[in-house]
């Protein structure tokens, strides 16, 4: 059993790398996508809505196969890790754009009006007033999605990324002990998810205290 656990532990860095990279891509790309989603120009709003709907409607494994075997099999060469993080990152961007949009709608209108009354510049209004509140409101939904992304990262094993799921499959093929192997894998995913939830709670509390000052 110890050898099985050791083999699964070796997949943790790849699981975390896929999850963290894809989530970082989504956090960054989600902002401009959200901006297009709420802009005043209807064609841009429609474009953003179409992109978000397309990314969210198609199953993640289809996106990963399309990127790896489609784009990666043609003029663009992609490693399994790059294809997995790109595919999951784009999907994350679509979800985070909606999270940001929901957070924006949760900021009271009085905050915008107060910033204008104080004659703050557009940059000050965004970074000093809007962004801290947006982040605080978005944290619970973002953390929930991050935990889901940690589980979805197992799809990367279908491309050849040697994460926890890939290690579990290999151990099952070698030992024919599917139940204990996948039980250990499940426990590892739970153990990785708990710190994410705790960190999100502490960060949300910290930002809440700063905003109240």
């Amino acid at each position: 059993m110890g050898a099985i656990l050791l083999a699964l532990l070796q997949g943790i860095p790849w699981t975390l790398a896929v999850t963290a990279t894809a989530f970082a891509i989504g956090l960054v790309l989600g902002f401009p996508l959200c901006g297009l989603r709420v802009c005043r120009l209807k064609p841009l709003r429609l474009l953003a809505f179409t992109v978000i709907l397309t990314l969210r409607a198609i199953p993640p494994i289809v996106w990963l196969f399309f990127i790896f075997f489609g784009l990666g099999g043609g003029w663009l060469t992609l490693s399994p890790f790059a294809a997995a993080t790109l595919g999951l990152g784009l999907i994350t961007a679509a979800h985070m754009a909606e999270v940001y949009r929901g957070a924006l709608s949760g900021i009271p209108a009085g905050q915008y009006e107060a910033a204008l009354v104080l004659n703050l510049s557009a940059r000050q209004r965004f970074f000093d007033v809007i962004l801290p509140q947006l982040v605080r409101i978005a944290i619970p939904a973002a953390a929930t999605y991050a935990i889901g992304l940690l589980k979805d990262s197992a799809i990367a094993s279908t491309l050849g990324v040697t994460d926890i799921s890939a290690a579990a499959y290999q151990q099952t093929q070698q030992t024919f002990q599917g139940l204990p192997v996948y039980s250990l894998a499940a426990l590892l995913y739970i153990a990785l998810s708990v710190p994410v939830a705790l960190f999100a709670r502490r960060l949300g509390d910290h930002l809440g205290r700063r905003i109240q000052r």
Side-chain angles (χ1 to χ4, degrees), residues 6 23 32 44 49 68 80 84 86-87 89 92 97 120 126 131 142-143 151 161-163 174-175 183 188 204:
L6 181 61
F23 193 63
L44 293 181
F49 173 78
F68 185 65
L86 177 59
T92 301
L120 298 178
F126 179 74
L131 185 60
K151 297 181 294 182
V161 179
T162 54
D163 64 348
Q174 295 174 10
T175 64
S183 295
L188 288 179

Side-chain angles (χ1 to χ4, degrees), residues 25-86:
I25 292 172
L27 286 177
V28 174
L29 295 183
F31 269 111
L33 198 54
C34 174
L36 293 176
R37 187 75 173 85
V38 299
C39 75
R40 297 179 180 180
L41 298 177
K42 187 174 181 180
L44 293 181
R45 291 202 309 271
L46 181 60
L47 174 62
F49 173 78
T50 303
V51 171
I52 291 171
L53 179 63
T54 302
L55 288 171
R56 296 178 66 180
I58 298 175
I61 193 169
V62 175
W63 276 117
L64 265 62
F65 282 1
F66 173 76
I67 292 173
F68 185 65
F69 295 109
L71 299 179
W75 56 272
L76 182 64
T77 301
L78 292 173
S79 67
F81 176 80
T85 53
L86 177 59

Side-chain angles (χ1 to χ4, degrees), residues 54-212:
T54 302
L55 288 171
R56 296 178 66 180
I58 298 175
I61 193 169
V62 175
W63 276 117
L64 265 62
F65 282 1
F66 173 76
I67 292 173
F68 185 65
F69 295 109
L71 299 179
W75 56 272
L76 182 64
T77 301
L78 292 173
S79 67
F81 176 80
T85 53
L86 177 59
L88 292 174
L90 291 175
I91 296 169
T92 301
H95 284 275
M96 290 307 302
E98 291 298 283
V99 170
Y100 295 150
R101 188 168 71 93
L104 282 174
S105 65
I107 299 175
Q111 296 292 317
Y112 298 94
E113 296 170 357
L116 290 173
V117 170
L118 292 173
N119 199 28
L120 298 178
S121 66
R123 182 182 180 280
Q124 289 175 319
R125 290 198 301 270
F126 179 74
F127 286 101
D128 296 337
V129 179
I130 305 304
L131 185 60
Q133 297 183 72
L134 183 151
V135 172
R136 182 180 63 85
I137 297 172
I139 281 176
T144 300
Y145 184 80
I147 294 172
L149 180 61
L150 178 67
K151 297 181 294 182
D152 289 342
S153 68
I155 302 173
S157 64
T158 62
L159 302 184
V161 179
T162 54
D163 64 348
I164 295 174
S165 296
Y169 178 76
Q170 293 171 0
Q171 289 300 306
T172 300
Q173 296 298 306
Q174 295 174 10
T175 64
F176 300 101
Q177 300 182 44
L179 182 59
V181 169
Y182 281 103
S183 295
L184 283 175
L187 290 175
L188 288 179
Y189 278 110
I190 293 173
L192 294 175
S193 299
V194 170
V196 175
L198 294 177
F199 174 75
R201 177 177 296 181
R202 291 179 62 89
L203 181 60
D205 292 342
H206 174 71
L207 289 175
R209 289 193 297 269
R210 287 193 60 184
I211 292 173
Q212 291 174 0

